[in-house]
């Protein structure tokens, strides 16, 4: 019996895969039968993450990569093609969060956010699509999933600089999706928009709420945020990985240029 969302014979590259949402996606892909290249700026952590995956049908490889470094992108993509046999899936997951009230943000903070959260998505889509397209070194088409955020859809106090980069990721995904479909590349592009997820980055959001004076301490911030979520809990990394797995698999082959919110209903309330 074939498994729903099987990734057998597919090769995936996941950035920021040493921890959090990125590792959960890499693990889900590996369990679904894919060969997975896990990349991260933290070389020791990403090696540990890849080594922790065992018993699957595919392989898990680690590579150090700073997604803001242009020269690293062709190296990462070529590593997937040459060592794992192609490239069918790219998850542009690595990202950073810098919060703070708009009046306290610096231009340097915005530039850093843009490099890691937006330019990386451009460079990743460009490098991956070049090999995924017909005639490319992999040449089988593919699926690109870009991690945006609920803060890329709606306004949130203390999130303006970060949210502006995630809004850019949302629309970059749609433009790339339409262009790649019209040009006959066979490459889909979608964005995923998590609410507050229980990761180190999620914890930064609590601290930020305290810093802008909307909560007295981290525990109260957590209560305030949880009360804003209709399902009354933070998201887990597997909540996001399940959505990303579906978008990576052929079961979603007629879906491109779309945005998928995974937030326990927070942005619907
Ligand atoms: N956690 C949340 O609440 C939340 C909500 C919405 C969106 N997101 C988005 O989901 C993605 C993953 O978030 P997370 O919570 O797992 O984050 P995290 O901070 O827990 O993990 C991020 C990973 O990316 C790596 N990384 C950081 N900078 C990098 C760089 N320049 N190059 C390569 N790797 C780098 C880190 O080493 C880490 O392993 C991000 O794009 C984030 O913006 C997260």
């Amino acid at each position: 019996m074939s498994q729903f969302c099987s990734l057998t014979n597919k090769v995936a590259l996941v950035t920021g895969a040493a921890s959090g949402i990125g590792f959960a996606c890499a693990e889900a892909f590996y369990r679904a039968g894919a060969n997975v290249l896990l990349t991260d700026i933290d070389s020791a952590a990403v090696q540990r993450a890849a080594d922790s995956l065992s018993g699957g049908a595919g392989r898990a490889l680690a590579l150090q990569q700073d997604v803001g470094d242009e020269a690293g992108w062709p190296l990462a993509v070529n590593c997937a093609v040459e060592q794992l046999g192609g490239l069918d899936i790219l998850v542009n997951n690595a990202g950073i969060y810098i919060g703070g009230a708009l009046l306290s943000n610096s231009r340097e903070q915005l530039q850093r956010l843009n490099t890691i959260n937006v330019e990386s998505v451009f460079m990743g889509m460009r490098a991956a699509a070049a090999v995924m397209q017909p005639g490319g070194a992999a040449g089988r088409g593919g699926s690109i999933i870009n991690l945006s955020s609920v803060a890329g859809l709606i306004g949130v106090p203390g999130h303006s600089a970060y949210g502006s980069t995630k809004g850019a990721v949302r629309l970059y995904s749609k433009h790339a999706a339409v262009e790649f479909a019209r040009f006959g590349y066979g490459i889909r592009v979608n964005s995923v928009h998590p609410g507050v997820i229980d990761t180190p980055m999620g914890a930064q959001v609590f601290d930020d709420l305290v810093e802008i004076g909307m909560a007295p301490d981290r525990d109260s911030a957590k209560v305030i945020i949880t009360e804003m979520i209709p399902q009354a809990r933070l998201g887990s990394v597997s909540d996001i990985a399940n959505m990303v797995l579906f978008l990576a698999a052929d079961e979603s082959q007629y879906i491109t240029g779309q945005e998928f919110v995974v937030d326990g209903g927070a942005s619907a309330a």
Side-chain angles (χ1 to χ4, degrees), residues 143-258:
S143 175
I144 298 175
I145 299 113
N146 295 325
L147 265 293
S148 177
S149 170
V150 164
L153 298 171
I154 60 171
V156 183
H159 279 60
S160 59
Y162 171 80
S164 74
T165 67
K166 292 301 185 179
V169 170
R170 168 183 175 267
L171 215 51
Y172 226 142
S173 306
K174 290 183 192 294
H175 283 287
V178 170
E179 183 173 303
F180 291 173
R182 289 282 187 208
F183 287 6
Y185 291 175
I187 301 169
R188 302 183 291 112
V189 186
N190 293 287
S191 59
V192 171
H193 301 254
V196 182
I197 309 301
D198 197 1
T199 69
M201 187 184 290
Q204 277 182 275
V205 174
F206 304 140
D207 293 340
D208 195 41
L209 213 62
V210 177
E211 198 182 310
I212 63 172
M214 293 186 68
D217 52 54
R218 187 190 262 206
D219 287 345
S220 313
K222 193 168 179 177
V223 171
I224 291 168
I225 287 182
T226 306
E227 281 174 352
M228 287 161 62
I229 302 169
Q231 288 192 347
R233 69 166 174 88
L234 300 183
S236 69
V237 292
S238 59
D239 289 324
I240 307 305
N242 287 336
M243 173 58 79
V244 173
L245 174 62
F246 172 65
L247 293 172
D250 290 340
E251 278 78 357
S252 61
Q253 63 185 267
Y254 196 51
I255 299 173
T256 195
Q258 304 307 314

Side-chain angles (χ1 to χ4, degrees), residues 100-115:
L102 189 148
L103 295 188
S104 73
N105 283 147
S106 67
R107 186 176 177 195
E108 288 70 28
Q109 287 177 322
L110 184 60
Q111 287 172 333
R112 177 87 187 128
L113 279 164
N114 271 315
T115 299

Side-chain angles (χ1 to χ4, degrees), residues 47-72:
Q47 189 62 58
R48 278 196 301 277
D51 289 347
S52 75
L53 298 176
S54 63
R59 291 174 60 207
L61 263 190
L63 180 75
Q64 198 272 341
Q65 181 195 15
D66 176 351
V67 292
D69 170 29
E70 189 165 16

Side-chain angles (χ1 to χ4, degrees), residues 74-155:
L75 297 178
V77 162
N78 289 342
C79 177
V81 173
E82 285 163 18
Q83 305 221 27
L84 295 176
L87 186 64
D88 305 283
I89 299 155
L90 167 67
V91 184
N92 277 313
N93 166 76
I96 56 167
Y97 173 79
I98 300 173
L102 189 148
L103 295 188
S104 73
N105 283 147
S106 67
R107 186 176 177 195
E108 288 70 28
Q109 287 177 322
L110 184 60
Q111 287 172 333
R112 177 87 187 128
L113 279 164
N114 271 315
T115 299
I116 306 305
N117 292 359
V118 185
E119 291 179 26
S120 69
V121 168
F122 156 64
M123 293 187 284
M125 292 196 295
R126 184 179 61 176
V131 300
M132 288 173 168
Q133 68 174 323
R140 303 190 288 252
S143 175
I144 298 175
I145 299 113
N146 295 325
L147 265 293
S148 177
S149 170
V150 164
L153 298 171
I154 60 171

